[in-house]
Amino acid sequence: MLFTPFELKSVTFPNRIVMPPMCQYSAGEDGLANEWHFVHYGARAVGGVGCIVVEATAVEPRGRISRRDLGLWDDSQIGPLQKMVDFCRSHGTVMGIQIAHAGRKGCGPELVAPSALPAGPEQPVPRALSQAEIAEIVEKWAAAARRAHQAGFDVLQIHAAHGYLIHEFLSPLSNHRQDEYGGDLRGRLRFLLEIIEAVQKEWPKEKPLSVRLSAVDHLDGGLTIEDTIAISSELKQRGVDLIDVSSGGLMPAPIKTGPGYQVPYAEAVRREVSIPTIAVGLISQVELAEEILLNERADFVALGRELLRNPYWPLQAMTGQAEKWPEQYRRAALK
Ligand SMILES: Cc1cc2nc3c(=O)[nH]c(=O)nc-3n(C[C@H](O)[C@H](O)[C@H](O)COP(=O)(O)O)c2cc1C
Protein backbone atom coordinates (compact mmCIF):
# COMPACT_ATOMS: atom_id res chain seq x y z
CA MET A 1 0.00 0.00 0.00
CA LEU A 2 2.83 2.42 0.76
CA PHE A 3 3.66 2.64 -2.93
CA THR A 4 0.13 2.89 -4.28
CA PRO A 5 -0.48 6.29 -5.93
CA PHE A 6 -3.27 8.53 -4.64
CA GLU A 7 -5.14 11.18 -6.56
CA LEU A 8 -6.49 14.41 -5.14
CA LYS A 9 -7.83 16.97 -7.60
CA SER A 10 -5.11 17.63 -10.22
CA VAL A 11 -2.36 16.03 -8.13
CA THR A 12 -1.19 12.41 -8.25
CA PHE A 13 0.82 11.46 -5.18
CA PRO A 14 3.37 8.80 -6.21
CA ASN A 15 3.13 7.07 -2.83
CA ARG A 16 1.58 7.47 0.61
CA ILE A 17 4.68 8.67 2.45
CA VAL A 18 4.50 12.25 3.70
CA MET A 19 7.21 14.32 5.33
CA PRO A 20 5.25 16.43 7.83
CA PRO A 21 6.14 20.08 8.41
CA MET A 22 9.20 20.41 10.66
CA CYS A 23 10.63 23.82 11.53
CA GLN A 24 14.31 24.14 10.77
CA TYR A 25 14.82 27.59 12.33
CA SER A 26 17.43 28.12 9.64
CA ALA A 27 16.07 30.91 7.45
CA GLY A 28 17.51 34.39 7.48
CA GLU A 29 15.75 37.01 9.60
CA ASP A 30 14.22 38.07 6.29
CA GLY A 31 12.38 34.71 6.17
CA LEU A 32 14.19 33.63 3.00
CA ALA A 33 14.91 29.97 2.24
CA ASN A 34 18.60 29.20 1.67
CA GLU A 35 21.04 26.34 0.96
CA TRP A 36 19.99 24.53 4.14
CA HIS A 37 16.41 24.24 2.92
CA PHE A 38 17.51 23.27 -0.56
CA VAL A 39 19.69 20.41 0.70
CA HIS A 40 17.35 19.34 3.52
CA TYR A 41 14.19 19.09 1.39
CA GLY A 42 16.12 18.06 -1.72
CA ALA A 43 17.57 15.05 0.11
CA ARG A 44 14.09 13.83 1.12
CA ALA A 45 12.86 14.25 -2.46
CA VAL A 46 15.80 12.18 -3.71
CA GLY A 47 14.98 9.73 -0.90
CA GLY A 48 11.58 9.03 -2.45
CA VAL A 49 9.15 10.87 -0.14
CA GLY A 50 5.79 11.10 -1.93
CA CYS A 51 4.83 14.46 -0.50
CA ILE A 52 6.96 16.94 1.40
CA VAL A 53 5.11 19.52 3.47
CA VAL A 54 7.56 22.34 4.01
CA GLU A 55 7.82 23.61 7.60
CA ALA A 56 5.57 26.21 9.23
CA THR A 57 6.02 29.35 7.11
CA ALA A 58 4.86 32.60 8.63
CA VAL A 59 2.12 34.69 6.99
CA GLU A 60 3.42 37.81 8.78
CA PRO A 61 6.58 38.61 10.80
CA ARG A 62 4.51 38.77 14.01
CA GLY A 63 3.39 35.20 13.32
CA ARG A 64 6.86 33.66 13.54
CA ILE A 65 7.70 31.00 16.12
CA SER A 66 11.36 32.09 15.92
CA ARG A 67 13.29 34.80 14.12
CA ARG A 68 14.68 32.11 11.81
CA ASP A 69 11.29 30.87 10.49
CA LEU A 70 10.58 30.78 6.78
CA GLY A 71 8.19 33.47 5.63
CA LEU A 72 5.71 34.11 2.84
CA TRP A 73 4.69 37.62 3.82
CA ASP A 74 6.68 39.27 1.03
CA ASP A 75 7.11 38.62 -2.70
CA SER A 76 10.90 38.48 -2.26
CA GLN A 77 10.40 35.16 -0.42
CA ILE A 78 8.93 33.40 -3.48
CA GLY A 79 12.13 33.00 -5.53
CA PRO A 80 14.31 30.88 -3.20
CA LEU A 81 11.37 28.58 -2.42
CA GLN A 82 10.61 28.21 -6.11
CA LYS A 83 14.13 26.96 -6.83
CA MET A 84 13.77 24.32 -4.13
CA VAL A 85 10.28 23.33 -5.27
CA ASP A 86 11.45 22.89 -8.87
CA PHE A 87 14.28 20.59 -7.81
CA CYS A 88 12.12 18.45 -5.51
CA ARG A 89 9.33 18.16 -8.08
CA SER A 90 11.86 17.06 -10.71
CA HIS A 91 12.35 13.96 -8.50
CA GLY A 92 8.61 13.22 -8.59
CA THR A 93 7.82 14.55 -5.12
CA VAL A 94 4.56 16.42 -4.57
CA MET A 95 5.42 19.68 -2.83
CA GLY A 96 3.27 21.12 -0.06
CA ILE A 97 3.85 24.00 2.31
CA GLN A 98 2.35 24.74 5.69
CA ILE A 99 1.44 28.38 6.20
CA ALA A 100 1.21 29.49 9.80
CA HIS A 101 0.72 32.16 12.42
CA ALA A 102 2.16 31.50 15.87
CA GLY A 103 -0.28 33.72 17.80
CA ARG A 104 0.55 33.71 21.51
CA LYS A 105 3.38 31.23 20.91
CA GLY A 106 5.25 33.71 18.70
CA CYS A 107 8.77 35.03 19.28
CA GLY A 108 7.52 38.53 20.05
CA PRO A 109 7.87 41.32 20.72
CA GLU A 110 4.16 41.56 19.91
CA LEU A 111 2.03 38.54 20.79
CA VAL A 112 -1.56 38.38 19.61
CA ALA A 113 -4.32 35.87 20.35
CA PRO A 114 -8.11 35.60 20.50
CA SER A 115 -8.00 36.40 24.24
CA ALA A 116 -5.40 37.80 26.65
CA LEU A 117 -4.60 34.34 28.05
CA PRO A 118 -1.05 32.91 28.27
CA ALA A 119 -0.02 29.47 26.92
CA GLY A 120 1.10 28.40 30.39
CA PRO A 121 1.91 29.65 33.86
CA GLU A 122 5.33 31.10 32.97
CA GLN A 123 4.30 32.31 29.51
CA PRO A 124 3.78 35.90 28.36
CA VAL A 125 0.25 37.29 28.17
CA PRO A 126 -0.78 38.09 24.57
CA ARG A 127 -3.00 40.96 23.45
CA ALA A 128 -6.53 40.10 22.29
CA LEU A 129 -7.08 40.90 18.60
CA SER A 130 -9.73 43.42 17.57
CA GLN A 131 -12.14 42.48 14.78
CA ALA A 132 -10.37 44.89 12.41
CA GLU A 133 -7.06 43.17 13.15
CA ILE A 134 -8.62 39.75 12.59
CA ALA A 135 -9.75 40.90 9.14
CA GLU A 136 -6.19 42.09 8.35
CA ILE A 137 -4.66 38.77 9.42
CA VAL A 138 -7.16 36.82 7.29
CA GLU A 139 -5.90 38.76 4.26
CA LYS A 140 -2.29 37.91 5.18
CA TRP A 141 -3.16 34.20 4.92
CA ALA A 142 -4.66 34.79 1.47
CA ALA A 143 -1.59 36.68 0.26
CA ALA A 144 0.70 33.91 1.55
CA ALA A 145 -1.43 31.36 -0.32
CA ARG A 146 -1.03 33.36 -3.53
CA ARG A 147 2.76 33.39 -3.05
CA ALA A 148 2.81 29.63 -2.33
CA HIS A 149 1.05 29.08 -5.65
CA GLN A 150 3.53 31.37 -7.41
CA ALA A 151 6.42 29.41 -5.89
CA GLY A 152 4.96 26.29 -7.57
CA PHE A 153 3.66 24.36 -4.57
CA ASP A 154 1.12 21.62 -5.34
CA VAL A 155 -0.53 21.43 -1.92
CA LEU A 156 -1.27 24.14 0.64
CA GLN A 157 -1.62 23.30 4.29
CA ILE A 158 -3.17 25.69 6.79
CA HIS A 159 -1.66 25.21 10.26
CA ALA A 160 -4.59 25.05 12.68
CA ALA A 161 -2.87 22.81 15.26
CA HIS A 162 -0.29 22.80 18.09
CA GLY A 163 -1.50 25.82 20.03
CA TYR A 164 -0.80 28.42 17.36
CA LEU A 165 -3.18 31.21 16.38
CA ILE A 166 -5.96 29.25 14.64
CA HIS A 167 -5.93 26.52 17.30
CA GLU A 168 -6.13 29.28 19.93
CA PHE A 169 -9.39 30.41 18.31
CA LEU A 170 -10.72 26.84 18.07
CA SER A 171 -10.14 25.75 21.67
CA PRO A 172 -12.52 26.93 24.42
CA LEU A 173 -9.52 26.99 26.78
CA SER A 174 -7.76 29.79 24.87
CA ASN A 175 -10.75 31.58 23.31
CA HIS A 176 -12.89 33.45 25.83
CA ARG A 177 -14.18 36.02 23.35
CA GLN A 178 -17.69 37.36 23.75
CA ASP A 179 -18.10 38.41 20.09
CA GLU A 180 -18.92 36.27 17.04
CA TYR A 181 -15.37 34.83 16.98
CA GLY A 182 -15.90 33.10 20.32
CA GLY A 183 -18.52 31.22 22.28
CA ASP A 184 -19.79 27.94 20.83
CA LEU A 185 -17.90 25.84 18.29
CA ARG A 186 -19.51 27.74 15.41
CA GLY A 187 -18.10 31.01 16.75
CA ARG A 188 -14.66 29.61 17.52
CA LEU A 189 -14.52 28.12 14.02
CA ARG A 190 -15.34 31.43 12.31
CA PHE A 191 -11.72 32.61 12.08
CA LEU A 192 -10.58 29.41 10.34
CA LEU A 193 -13.57 29.45 7.96
CA GLU A 194 -12.84 33.08 7.02
CA ILE A 195 -9.21 32.15 6.33
CA ILE A 196 -10.29 29.24 4.13
CA GLU A 197 -12.67 31.44 2.17
CA ALA A 198 -9.98 34.09 1.64
CA VAL A 199 -7.31 31.52 0.75
CA GLN A 200 -9.61 29.88 -1.81
CA LYS A 201 -9.74 33.17 -3.76
CA GLU A 202 -5.95 32.89 -4.28
CA TRP A 203 -5.22 29.15 -4.17
CA PRO A 204 -6.31 27.40 -7.41
CA LYS A 205 -9.37 25.18 -7.14
CA GLU A 206 -7.59 22.28 -8.85
CA LYS A 207 -4.83 22.15 -6.22
CA PRO A 208 -5.47 20.28 -2.94
CA LEU A 209 -6.04 22.28 0.24
CA SER A 210 -5.15 20.66 3.55
CA VAL A 211 -5.71 21.69 7.16
CA ARG A 212 -3.66 20.40 10.09
CA LEU A 213 -5.69 20.02 13.28
CA SER A 214 -4.92 19.08 16.86
CA ALA A 215 -7.65 16.45 17.24
CA VAL A 216 -7.68 16.75 21.03
CA ASP A 217 -6.16 19.15 23.55
CA HIS A 218 -5.44 16.36 26.08
CA LEU A 219 -6.86 18.78 28.69
CA ASP A 220 -10.09 18.95 30.69
CA GLY A 221 -12.48 21.34 28.98
CA GLY A 222 -10.40 21.38 25.79
CA LEU A 223 -11.12 20.18 22.26
CA THR A 224 -12.34 16.60 21.95
CA ILE A 225 -12.40 14.18 19.04
CA GLU A 226 -16.15 14.89 18.71
CA ASP A 227 -15.34 18.60 18.21
CA THR A 228 -12.70 17.66 15.64
CA ILE A 229 -15.15 15.49 13.73
CA ALA A 230 -17.63 18.39 13.65
CA ILE A 231 -14.87 20.81 12.54
CA SER A 232 -13.62 18.41 9.84
CA SER A 233 -17.13 17.90 8.53
CA GLU A 234 -17.56 21.67 8.15
CA LEU A 235 -14.13 21.92 6.49
CA LYS A 236 -15.09 19.21 4.01
CA GLN A 237 -18.25 21.11 3.09
CA ARG A 238 -16.13 24.23 2.54
CA GLY A 239 -13.89 22.41 0.05
CA VAL A 240 -10.95 21.27 2.18
CA ASP A 241 -9.47 18.11 0.65
CA LEU A 242 -7.20 16.59 3.25
CA ILE A 243 -7.01 16.67 7.06
CA ASP A 244 -3.64 16.16 8.73
CA VAL A 245 -4.53 14.83 12.17
CA SER A 246 -2.14 15.69 14.98
CA SER A 247 -2.90 16.52 18.63
CA GLY A 248 -1.97 18.71 21.58
CA GLY A 249 0.24 21.78 21.83
CA LEU A 250 -2.21 24.26 23.35
CA MET A 251 -0.74 24.04 26.83
CA PRO A 252 1.51 21.58 28.60
CA ALA A 253 -0.45 18.34 29.01
CA PRO A 254 0.27 14.77 30.06
CA ILE A 255 0.29 12.62 26.91
CA LYS A 256 0.96 8.92 26.63
CA THR A 257 2.87 8.29 23.44
CA GLY A 258 3.89 5.15 21.61
CA PRO A 259 4.05 3.89 18.02
CA GLY A 260 1.12 5.31 16.06
CA TYR A 261 -0.43 6.94 19.15
CA GLN A 262 -2.38 9.53 17.13
CA VAL A 263 -3.64 7.13 14.45
CA PRO A 264 -7.03 6.57 16.19
CA TYR A 265 -7.81 10.29 15.68
CA ALA A 266 -7.03 10.16 11.96
CA GLU A 267 -9.09 6.98 11.76
CA ALA A 268 -12.10 8.56 13.49
CA VAL A 269 -12.05 11.64 11.24
CA ARG A 270 -11.71 9.52 8.10
CA ARG A 271 -14.53 7.16 9.11
CA GLU A 272 -17.00 9.76 10.42
CA VAL A 273 -16.42 12.47 7.82
CA SER A 274 -15.31 10.47 4.75
CA ILE A 275 -12.42 12.77 4.03
CA PRO A 276 -8.83 11.75 3.21
CA THR A 277 -6.52 11.96 6.22
CA ILE A 278 -2.83 11.90 7.11
CA ALA A 279 -1.86 9.93 10.22
CA VAL A 280 1.21 11.14 12.09
CA GLY A 281 3.10 10.48 15.31
CA LEU A 282 5.81 7.91 16.00
CA ILE A 283 5.32 5.98 12.79
CA SER A 284 8.74 4.54 11.93
CA GLN A 285 8.24 0.93 10.96
CA VAL A 286 7.22 -0.17 7.46
CA GLU A 287 4.90 -2.77 9.04
CA LEU A 288 2.99 -0.18 11.08
CA ALA A 289 2.75 2.16 8.09
CA GLU A 290 1.38 -0.68 5.93
CA GLU A 291 -1.10 -1.73 8.62
CA ILE A 292 -2.50 1.82 8.88
CA LEU A 293 -3.00 2.06 5.11
CA LEU A 294 -4.22 -1.49 4.58
CA ASN A 295 -6.87 -1.19 7.28
CA GLU A 296 -7.93 2.17 5.80
CA ARG A 297 -7.19 3.99 9.04
CA ALA A 298 -5.62 6.84 7.02
CA ASP A 299 -4.78 7.61 3.40
CA PHE A 300 -1.26 8.84 4.09
CA VAL A 301 1.34 8.21 6.77
CA ALA A 302 3.64 11.04 7.83
CA LEU A 303 7.07 10.27 9.25
CA GLY A 304 8.68 13.21 10.98
CA ARG A 305 11.68 12.43 13.12
CA GLU A 306 12.22 9.15 11.26
CA LEU A 307 12.84 11.11 8.05
CA LEU A 308 15.24 13.41 9.92
CA ARG A 309 17.20 10.31 10.91
CA ASN A 310 16.96 8.67 7.53
CA PRO A 311 16.07 10.61 4.36
CA TYR A 312 16.26 7.35 2.40
CA TRP A 313 13.54 5.57 4.38
CA PRO A 314 11.21 5.41 1.34
CA LEU A 315 13.93 4.06 -0.97
CA GLN A 316 14.86 1.43 1.59
CA ALA A 317 11.23 0.37 1.88
CA MET A 318 11.12 -0.10 -1.94
CA THR A 319 13.04 -3.35 -1.92
CA GLY A 320 13.12 -5.02 -5.31
CA GLN A 321 12.02 -1.87 -7.14
CA ALA A 322 15.37 -0.57 -8.36
CA GLU A 323 13.62 1.27 -11.21
CA LYS A 324 12.07 3.63 -8.67
CA TRP A 325 15.46 4.64 -7.26
CA PRO A 326 17.11 7.75 -8.66
CA GLU A 327 19.27 6.76 -11.59
CA GLN A 328 22.41 7.99 -9.82
CA TYR A 329 21.85 5.60 -6.89
CA ARG A 330 20.48 2.58 -8.72
CA ARG A 331 23.59 0.47 -8.31
CA ALA A 332 22.92 0.63 -4.55
CA ALA A 333 19.26 -0.43 -4.78
CA LEU A 334 18.22 -3.07 -2.27
CA LYS A 335 17.21 -6.38 -3.84
C1 LIG B 1 12.08 19.43 14.60
C2 LIG B 1 10.57 19.43 14.51
C3 LIG B 1 9.91 20.55 14.02
C4 LIG B 1 8.52 20.54 13.89
N1 LIG B 1 7.89 21.61 13.31
C5 LIG B 1 6.57 21.53 13.01
C6 LIG B 1 5.95 22.51 12.19
O1 LIG B 1 6.59 23.41 11.65
N2 LIG B 1 4.61 22.39 11.98
C7 LIG B 1 3.87 21.37 12.50
O2 LIG B 1 2.67 21.31 12.27
N3 LIG B 1 4.45 20.40 13.22
C8 LIG B 1 5.78 20.44 13.48
N4 LIG B 1 6.38 19.41 14.13
C9 LIG B 1 5.60 18.18 14.44
C10 LIG B 1 5.79 17.15 13.32
O3 LIG B 1 5.22 17.59 12.10
C11 LIG B 1 5.13 15.79 13.69
O4 LIG B 1 3.75 15.98 13.79
C12 LIG B 1 5.68 15.24 14.99
O5 LIG B 1 7.10 15.27 14.99
C13 LIG B 1 5.22 13.80 15.24
O6 LIG B 1 5.64 12.95 14.21
P1 LIG B 1 6.95 11.97 14.38
O7 LIG B 1 6.71 11.17 15.63
O8 LIG B 1 6.93 11.13 13.14
O9 LIG B 1 8.15 12.85 14.49
C14 LIG B 1 7.77 19.41 14.32
C15 LIG B 1 8.45 18.32 14.86
C16 LIG B 1 9.83 18.30 14.94
C17 LIG B 1 10.52 17.07 15.48
Side-chain angles (χ1 to χ4, degrees):
M1 280 300 291
L2 265 176
F3 298 101
T4 310
F6 191 89
E7 275 179 37
L8 260 184
K9 295 194 166 158
S10 64
V11 175
T12 303
F13 297 78
N15 62 50
R16 309 300 184 90
I17 304 163
V18 172
M19 178 177 177
M22 285 183 285
C23 287
Q24 297 298 296
Y25 308 123
S26 300
E29 289 224 13
D30 48 14
L32 296 187
N34 56 41
E35 290 83 353
W36 175 263
H37 304 91
F38 193 93
V39 172
H40 168 68
Y41 292 109
R44 275 74 197 173
V46 169
V49 171
C51 174
I52 291 173
V53 183
V54 168
E55 68 200 78
T57 298
V59 302
E60 64 166 344
R62 208 171 39 169
R64 288 177 294 176
I65 301 165
S66 85
R67 304 217 160 267
R68 309 283 305 274
D69 285 16
L70 286 178
L72 266 180
W73 64 77
D74 191 88
D75 285 353
S76 65
Q77 293 158 335
I78 299 170
L81 285 173
Q82 186 165 27
K83 194 171 148 223
M84 184 183 98
V85 168
D86 287 349
F87 176 80
C88 293
R89 292 181 88 240
S90 76
H91 285 274
T93 301
V94 169
M95 289 302 289
I97 187 166
Q98 182 184 57
I99 54 173
H101 193 300
R104 69 184 187 180
K105 284 171 70 175
C107 59
E110 201 200 358
L111 296 180
V112 294
S115 303
L117 297 165
E122 306 288 307
Q123 301 301 312
V125 180
R127 186 171 60 73
L129 288 163
S130 70
Q131 290 199 5
E133 289 174 310
I134 290 176
E136 279 169 25
I137 293 182
V138 167
E139 287 314 312
K140 303 249 161 93
W141 287 83
R146 190 249 306 155
R147 295 185 188 108
H149 169 57
Q150 287 174 327
F153 284 99
D154 306 291
V155 177
L156 186 73
Q157 179 171 89
I158 295 173
H159 196 353
H162 301 169
Y164 298 114
L165 187 61
I166 297 177
H167 186 184
E168 290 159 21
F169 271 86
L170 291 174
S171 177
L173 295 174
S174 44
N175 182 345
H176 290 183
R177 294 180 75 95
Q178 306 288 332
D179 64 3
E180 57 260 50
Y181 290 92
D184 62 8
L185 187 59
R186 179 149 298 280
R188 286 179 276 119
L189 187 53
R190 180 181 301 269
F191 180 56
L192 174 55
L193 295 184
E194 287 184 359
I195 288 171
I196 289 169
E197 199 180 323
V199 158
Q200 283 169 331
K201 292 194 179 116
E202 302 290 347
W203 184 251
K205 277 194 179 42
E206 65 277 11
K207 289 189 179 185
L209 178 61
S210 168
V211 173
R212 184 169 239 202
L213 294 174
S214 280
V216 296
D217 282 335
H218 302 289
L219 294 162
D220 285 345
L223 288 174
T224 63
I225 187 64
E226 288 74 26
D227 294 324
T228 296
I229 287 165
I231 291 169
S232 303
S233 165
E234 188 71 31
L235 297 184
K236 182 187 175 186
Q237 282 175 38
R238 305 289 179 124
V240 171
D241 305 292
L242 178 64
I243 308 282
D244 186 353
V245 191
S246 187
S247 79
L250 194 73
M251 282 186 277
I255 312 178
K256 287 203 181 94
T257 61
Y261 70 102
Q262 294 178 138
V263 177
Y265 306 129
E267 189 176 5
V269 169
R270 189 181 187 279
R271 186 183 58 237
E272 301 299 326
V273 182
S274 299
I275 187 166
T277 59
I278 305 174
V280 63
L282 290 176
I283 302 169
S284 298
Q285 299 300 322
V286 175
E287 293 75 16
L288 175 59
E290 275 293 331
E291 183 272 324
I292 293 164
L293 297 168
L294 206 58
N295 290 314
E296 303 189 337
R297 303 175 70 196
D299 301 279
F300 295 93
V301 287
L303 287 75
R305 287 160 291 179
E306 185 57 36
L307 281 169
L308 294 185
R309 283 187 285 272
N310 181 8
Y312 303 114
W313 192 96
L315 290 186
Q316 288 170 357
M318 283 179 202
T319 43
Q321 300 185 68
E323 73 287 353
K324 289 194 178 160
W325 282 53
E327 207 183 317
Q328 297 91 332
Y329 291 1
R330 212 160 280 164
R331 284 176 62 188
L334 299 168
K335 300 270 182 283

